[in-house]
Amino acid sequence: MATNPETQEQEGRSLSVIAFLLIVVVYLVLVQGVGMLATRGLDADYGEFPDVETLARGLVLPVALSAVFVWAVVFALGWRRPVLHDDKPVRRWVWAVPVLMVLTIVAGMNYPGLSDRGAGYTLTFLVGALCVGLAEEGMFRGIGVVTFRRNGFTEGKVALWSCVVFGLAHATNIFTEGPAALLQVLVTVIAGYFFYLTRRVSKGLLIPIVIHGMWDFGLLSGAIDDDPYVGIGLFMLMDLILAIVLLVGHRRIEPEAAPAPTS
C-alpha cells in the first residue's frame, strides 16, 4: 500500500534516546571545539566579547555551525513538522511565561552599552544570540522533545528529561568557566522549562527560538562593560519569579480533562 507523503513527513525516521544523546555529544564537540579553535590567539576570556572580531569568531561562527548541524539532523530525520509544530495544548494563562520574558528583555537590555559599541557590534551580537536560539531550541525543544515523546515518555517526563539534558549540556562550560558552570546547569534546567512551555502554548518552535535568542542577547549585553549593567539583576529576578509561579501553578498547566459522557 502506498504511503501518504504528508503522513510520512509527519512521522519521519525513528530515533532512540541513546541516539539522541550521541547527537547532543557531537553537537557539543562541534560548538566547543570550533569555539576554542576560532578564538585561539585572541586576548579575551571565555564569554567576553570586547570587539566585533571576538564576537564573530567566539560566538557567531561556532554557534552558526552548530545550528546548521542541528537543522541538518532535523531534515535528515524527516522531522520538520513535529519539531516546528506542537499539538500538546496548555492552559491559556501559560502565555504569562513568554510575555514576562519579553518584558524582561525589553526592560533589562543594556541599551547604553550597546550604543557605545556601535551598530556593527550590536548587529553581530544579535545575530550570534539568535543563532544560539536556533541551535539550542532546535536541539533540545525540537529533536529532544520529539525523541522523548516518540519513545513513549509521559509529557511530564518529556519536559523533565529534555530540560535536564539541556542543563547538563551546559556542564561542558566547566572547562572554560570552572565550578561556576555548575550553577549555570541548574539555572539552565529551569530556563529550559520556560522554553518548553513557550513551545506548547505558542504551538510551535518559532517563538521559543526568538525569545531564547533575545533573552541571551539581553542578558549578555549586561556583561559587555567593565562593570555589570544593572539590568542583569532583572533577568535573574524574573528567573526566580517564573520558577515560583510555575511551582505554585504546575497542577493548572495541563488542560482540564473532558467530563465523562453521561449514559
Side-chain angles (χ1 to χ4, degrees):
M1 186 175 67
T3 303
N4 186 314
E6 183 178 352
T7 302
Q8 188 176 22
E9 181 188 19
Q10 291 179 12
E11 292 299 325
R13 300 175 184 271
S14 60
L15 188 70
S16 69
V17 172
I18 296 299
F20 164 63
L21 295 177
L22 290 175
I23 291 171
V24 172
V25 170
V26 174
Y27 162 83
L28 293 174
V29 170
L30 178 63
V31 71
Q32 294 285 352
V34 171
M36 289 180 181
L37 289 174
T39 56
R40 183 175 294 176
L42 289 179
D43 185 20
D45 293 331
Y46 177 83
E48 293 185 0
F49 306 108
D51 51 43
V52 173
E53 181 185 5
T54 307
L55 272 173
R57 291 168 60 178
L59 178 64
V60 177
L61 178 61
V63 178
L65 288 176
S66 68
V68 170
F69 169 73
V70 169
W71 287 95
V73 171
V74 171
F75 279 87
L77 290 170
W79 282 12
R80 181 181 62 85
R81 192 183 190 288
V83 163
L84 288 173
H85 301 275
D86 200 298
D87 59 358
K88 303 284 187 183
V90 290
R91 300 194 197 187
R92 292 184 63 83
W93 75 265
V94 178
W95 272 110
V97 174
V99 167
L100 288 173
M101 294 183 80
V102 169
L103 292 175
T104 302
I105 294 165
V106 172
M109 188 80 66
N110 183 6
Y111 299 105
L114 292 171
S115 177
D116 290 342
R117 296 300 179 103
Y121 181 93
T122 301
L123 181 59
T124 306
F125 202 170
L126 178 60
V127 169
L130 289 174
C131 284
V132 172
L134 189 64
E136 293 192 346
E137 290 307 302
M139 176 60 75
F140 301 103
R141 256 66 61 190
I143 299 173
V145 165
V146 175
T147 297
F148 287 117
R149 283 177 177 171
R150 292 193 171 187
N151 280 274
F153 286 65
T154 64
E155 198 58 30
K157 290 183 178 179
V158 169
L160 172 64
W161 291 113
S162 63
C163 293
V164 168
V165 175
F166 176 54
L168 290 176
H170 288 74
T172 56
N173 291 338
I174 197 168
F175 297 111
T176 49
E177 292 188 78
L182 298 178
L183 176 60
Q184 184 185 10
V185 169
L186 176 60
V187 173
T188 305
V189 170
I190 296 171
Y193 189 52
F194 303 159
F195 296 127
Y196 162 81
L197 290 177
T198 299
R199 170 191 166 99
R200 286 184 60 183
V201 76
S202 67
K203 302 186 184 302
L205 203 63
L206 179 58
I207 291 179
I209 287 172
V210 174
I211 292 180
H212 188 150
M214 293 304 299
W215 182 271
D216 283 10
F217 180 57
L219 178 61
L220 293 176
S221 74
I224 63 175
D225 298 323
D226 292 335
D227 296 320
Y229 183 64
V230 65
I232 289 180
L234 187 58
F235 286 89
M236 296 177 179
L237 177 62
M238 187 52 65
D239 276 333
L240 179 60
I241 290 172
L242 285 174
I244 293 172
V245 167
L246 294 173
L247 181 64
V248 172
H250 73 280
R251 295 185 182 277
R252 296 184 294 108
I253 290 174
E254 298 296 334
E256 293 184 84
T262 56
S263 56

